[in-house]
Amino acid sequence: MTAQDQGARRSGGRQAQRAERREAILEAAMELIAERGYRRTSLAAVAERAGLTQQGLLHHFPTKELLLVAVLEARDRWDLASSAASAAGSWRTGTLAQLVDYNATRPGIVQTYTVLSADSVTEDHPARAFFESRFRAVREAMAAVLRAEFGETLPGGLTPERAAPLLVAVMDGLQLQWLLDPQDVDMPAAFRDFVALLGRGGD
């Protein structure tokens, strides 16, 4: 093996280690935010749970605001995929139902998202701009999903753009109810019931 090959291997190993540490930090931050809320989660607490020093954490995320955005992006990676899939016309309400099924297997991440989205309504919250932008993009993506399945007019007479906020509200509202009462609220089944209502319209 040449010196160049050895250097490349060491560089690849360092990159992999850095990625692992970053993921550990994000996981720890998600857990703590879900438990305490964003404002009561300190960088020191995140570092401790991730098994790092605070200085080690700051090497990856120099500020708490940058860490928060990274947590949100980690939770929301599916959104980028959904936008691409919707543009290609490949997403349907059945695909969204599968996403709801998947979310039902990861309550901690869903809880983190729910806590942060609720907190972000305050004007000084560092995630407010993120969620404003996110919800605009999600509404557009949901309108594309509905248009691909129902055309320009849904059975109930709504346009995809008018129905999209309702679809988003159902998904997020069901998450909240499911987190509070998982025994009585079957989130995947309830979402499929809503999709069935969309299909029946006013019948």
Side-chain angles (χ1 to χ4, degrees):
M1 179 181 296
T2 66
Q4 184 177 2
D5 291 336
Q6 291 176 343
R9 175 173 290 186
R10 284 194 297 270
S11 177
R14 286 193 296 269
Q15 290 176 359
Q17 188 178 49
R18 179 180 174 85
E20 289 176 3
R21 287 178 179 169
R22 183 182 173 88
E23 288 302 310
I25 293 168
L26 292 175
E27 183 177 344
M30 285 183 184
E31 292 173 356
L32 286 167
I33 291 170
E35 294 169 9
R36 307 178 183 181
Y38 168 75
R39 298 186 189 280
R40 291 188 296 162
T41 296
S42 67
L43 291 177
V46 174
E48 181 180 0
R49 183 164 295 195
L52 299 170
T53 64
Q54 186 168 346
Q55 190 62 36
L57 184 148
L58 292 173
H59 178 70
H60 296 273
F61 301 102
T63 68
K64 187 178 177 182
E65 288 75 16
L66 287 174
L67 175 59
L68 173 62
V69 172
V71 167
L72 290 168
E73 289 173 346
R75 157 63 177 81
D76 216 30
R77 286 187 187 121
W78 72 270
D79 192 38
L80 296 176
S82 72
S83 297
S86 295
S90 59
W91 271 63
R92 296 292 187 272
T93 54
T95 317
L96 296 176
Q98 293 174 5
L99 175 62
V100 175
D101 292 341
Y102 177 54
N103 282 339
T105 68
R106 48 179 193 167
I109 293 177
V110 172
Q111 185 179 28
T112 301
Y113 166 82
T114 302
V115 169
L116 287 172
S117 61
D119 281 352
S120 74
V121 301
T122 56
E123 292 185 1
D124 62 341
H125 196 280
R128 184 181 178 100
F130 177 93
F131 276 106
E132 288 175 350
S133 176
R134 178 194 183 276
F135 276 114
R136 282 193 295 269
V138 170
R139 286 193 297 269
E140 291 176 2
M142 295 303 100
V145 168
L146 293 170
R147 178 170 285 105
E149 187 153 338
F150 298 105
E152 292 300 324
T153 305
L154 276 70
L158 295 176
T159 64
E161 283 72 22
R162 287 183 61 191
L166 304 178
L167 181 56
V168 177
V170 167
M171 294 182 76
D172 283 3
L174 280 173
Q175 287 185 163
L176 175 59
Q177 294 181 64
W178 171 70
L179 287 168
L180 290 170
D181 195 356
Q183 297 302 315
D184 283 349
V185 178
D186 186 335
M187 181 167 64
F191 181 75
R192 285 175 169 81
D193 288 342
F194 176 75
V195 170
L197 288 176
L198 283 179
R200 286 198 294 270
D203 295 343

